[in-house]
Amino acid sequence: MPYVNIKITKTGATAEQKAELIKGATELLQRVLNKNPATTFVIIEEVETDNWGVGGESVTARNAKAP
């Protein structure tokens, strides 16, 4: 019973994009590890950019500096 947790920042991923991630992760586990899609769980967590840090600063701060 595979459990996949995908974490992304809340930057506007569409429902269609999330559905594609869920489908793709499920298909990958089936193809590579022969896991049953019916018992494969894929969770997408969206994290506020204030709560996601890279290189010692939040993504919000990094995005503010981007040209």
Side-chain angles (χ1 to χ4, degrees):
M1 177 178 330
Y3 174 91
V4 178
N5 188 340
I6 300 172
K7 293 189 179 194
I8 59 175
T9 57
K10 277 190 178 180
T11 54
T14 67
E16 292 81 13
Q17 290 169 323
K18 292 176 200 177
E20 189 172 340
L21 287 172
I22 292 167
K23 181 179 179 186
T26 302
E27 289 173 350
L28 180 66
L29 283 164
Q30 181 181 21
R31 181 174 51 83
V32 175
L33 299 177
N34 198 34
K35 296 299 181 179
N36 183 351
T39 58
T40 298
F41 295 84
V42 180
I43 311 300
I44 298 174
E45 292 184 66
E46 292 182 285
V47 180
E48 295 289 346
T49 57
D50 285 343
N51 299 329
W52 191 299
V54 178
E57 62 185 346
S58 73
V59 171
T60 302
R62 291 174 65 96
N63 289 346
K65 292 182 197 176

